[in-house]
Amino acid sequence: MPIASRGRTKVIRAVRVNQNLHYGFKGTDITAIPGISQGDATAIGQKPVTQGLGLVVFSPDAPRPAQFTKKISSGVQRSVTAYGDGFTRQAIARAIGAGWKLKRPIFPLVLGITKKSKEIVVSTTNNLYFAYYVPLIDATAENGAMLGWIANVGPVTLSKTARAPKGVKIPLVTKESRTLPCSPAKLGNAVANGWKITRAERGLATLT
């Protein structure tokens, strides 16, 4: 931890990662660091998490926000690195205009596929979606319709999708030795068709 960050107040903030999703995090209040002002935090797009901000997911594996760095002469540390809004050229230009440099661009969510598994998208609560790997043999249209997976993931849906953060659990159901993720809205349907709930959801309601 940088010397200037030790003992400083922690705040909850969010920065935009795409047109529909904000990345929430708890970190040092950068405005308390000598040489960094509220104007700097505003310039890189850091916002307090308030009602009406829209979809906010706290610290998912993906997408992850851009990082910006700024040189300072506080006598304690020479630079500050912070999360910021790197979604548009205008947002990056605003940060640069305030003396920040883009250190790392946004790390987007790209749905993956391997020889044995495929990342599917599950609808959850609050108009939010999560990406989850399932075996290729189970990635069928039938399972998807039964368990609430999104059949055709377009740009809008993808912009509301994240990989579940640590501590957040998507419901799991089991049938004939196959355990798969299920949308909370489809649990009743799954149970009626012979699936058993083996893991309840956890943490979903507090994400947005």
Side-chain angles (χ1 to χ4, degrees):
M1 177 185 294
I3 294 174
S5 298
R6 293 177 187 168
R8 297 200 179 276
T9 301
K10 298 291 185 180
V11 293
I12 296 174
R13 294 287 184 264
V15 293
R16 186 172 55 160
V17 288
N18 60 45
Q19 68 267 37
N20 286 310
L21 195 64
H22 281 75
Y23 178 101
F25 63 96
K26 184 178 182 180
T28 300
D29 181 1
I30 62 171
T31 66
I33 298 173
I36 299 295
S37 68
Q38 181 58 51
D40 283 304
T42 300
I44 59 173
Q46 287 197 4
K47 307 171 186 176
V49 179
T50 57
Q51 191 171 7
L53 186 59
L55 291 174
V56 181
V57 181
F58 283 86
S59 304
D61 180 59
R64 294 197 298 268
Q67 283 190 349
F68 293 86
T69 185
K70 185 175 184 178
K71 292 183 178 180
I72 56 175
S73 55
S74 67
V76 179
Q77 67 184 71
R78 294 183 179 181
S79 66
V80 172
T81 299
Y83 289 138
D85 178 358
F87 175 54
T88 64
R89 280 188 250 179
Q90 291 87 347
I92 295 171
R94 182 181 63 232
I96 291 174
W100 294 85
K101 289 184 178 180
L102 181 65
K103 181 179 181 179
R104 188 187 71 186
I106 288 173
F107 180 82
L109 171 63
V110 179
L111 298 179
I113 186 169
T114 70
K115 291 181 179 180
K116 295 183 178 180
S117 62
K118 177 182 180 180
E119 201 165 19
I120 54 91
V121 171
V122 186
S123 63
T124 64
T125 55
N126 300 318
N127 201 29
L128 183 66
Y129 304 85
F130 278 146
Y132 196 98
Y133 275 98
V134 300
L136 278 177
I137 193 172
D138 295 321
T140 64
E142 181 181 2
N143 283 338
M146 176 68 63
L147 304 179
W149 306 347
I150 305 304
N152 297 300
V153 182
V156 174
T157 299
L158 190 62
S159 71
K160 299 177 182 179
T161 302
R163 292 197 181 109
K166 184 177 180 180
V168 174
K169 303 298 183 183
I170 300 171
L172 293 180
V173 293
T174 299
K175 183 178 181 180
E176 298 174 356
S177 300
R178 313 303 296 183
T179 299
L180 299 172
C182 182
S183 167
K186 287 286 190 176
L187 285 173
N189 184 53
V191 170
N193 283 274
W195 293 82
K196 292 183 179 180
I197 300 173
T198 53
R199 186 178 74 186
E201 71 173 72
R202 188 174 72 192
L204 296 183
T206 61
L207 288 173
T208 59

